[in-house]
Amino acid sequence: KARRYTCQERPALLTDIKINIRNETLTERYSLTPGKELGRGKFGVVRRCVEKHTGIEYAAKFVRKRRKGQDCRGEVIHEVAALELTRACPRVINLHEVYETASEMVLLLECAAGGEIFEQCVAFSELDAKLLLRQILEGVAFLHSNNIVHLDLKPQNLLLTSTKPLGDIKIVDFGLSRVVRQNQELREIMGTPEYVAPEVLNYEPISTATDMWSIGVLTYIMLTGLSPFLGEDKQETFLNISQVDVSYAGEELEALHPAAILFIQALLLKDARSRLSAEECLRHEWLRGPERQKQARTEACVSGHEQLLSPEKDPAVEDLIVM
Ligand code: ADP
Ligand code: MG
């Protein structure tokens, strides 16, 4: 049975940060760009801003420290620490500065001007999808080799440096990320319904393989524009996930290279230990091999449901199962 952690006692959070937190007013050194915000998430908003003395544009992520009546400063510190740990990885967004006020913290992030791959998802050719997935997997392999699981890999948290021409991937949003250590079990219930792995729903141990399930869902969506487990409501989605009720039939799937289907199937496995790792994915025939002609589709098809990609841009707070 799920146990509710308070933010302070939540295990697997990083606590050490190197960056100096600034307490002065943000607008002394930055001008917030008026107009449309870059994004909005669970606990705050992301806005464009310009550092006055350099003219460089950044994305300012404002996050509340109190959530549902609890002090969650530790969660934000963890997010900062995770970004510091991954600094060397070009596939992860860079953290520039951190500000703190009485009620919120502001993370000044490198701005990924191309926005979410979510916006482009339905438009990806198999070639572009492969290109982007390689980059995503390079980032995820880096995280995993540093014992960090992201736990919220989805199109809204995968940004592009530019869209035309297609730029590079930047992984963002380490708000749900955790540290996994050997001989220390991590069980928590969180993530975004469409992308969570069966073990998360069953309150079984979380591992790097939990991210790999999400990569499977992501690949399916990028290649077909269809969300493999999305049901009419959350309950149906969860049921589809726990039964691994996924269809490999239909014209969107038939158009793909058979190796692409095998790739997805090697990730959407109920048994976490059987899933490919990020490194193995990068060596998989579909991603590694020279570009080949499309072939007749694989025989590995099962009938089942198919749903359209969720129309909402970002899930509402209630759609996240953060406990
Ligand atoms: P949340 O934890 O609230 O989901 P995110 O870090 O995912 O916060 O940010 C919310 C949204 O803001 C993202 O989905 C994205 O659209 C946008 N965003 C976040 N960081 C950046 C960035 N560095 N550059 C451009 N847009 C960003
Ligand atoms: Mg997010």
Side-chain angles (χ1 to χ4, degrees), residues 38-39 41-42 46 59 61 93 109-110 112 116 156-157 159 173:
L38 280 167
K42 298 173 285 290
V46 181
K61 177 173 175 175
I93 205 82
L109 303 160
E110 160 193 15
E116 305 170 9
Q156 295 88 337
N157 290 333
L159 309 186
D173 197 356

Side-chain angles (χ1 to χ4, degrees), residues 260-275:
I261 310 272
L262 293 173
F263 179 86
I264 297 171
Q265 288 175 329
L267 292 169
L268 296 183
L269 294 170
K270 184 144 188 166
D271 177 30
R273 285 161 306 179
S274 305
R275 292 174 208 150

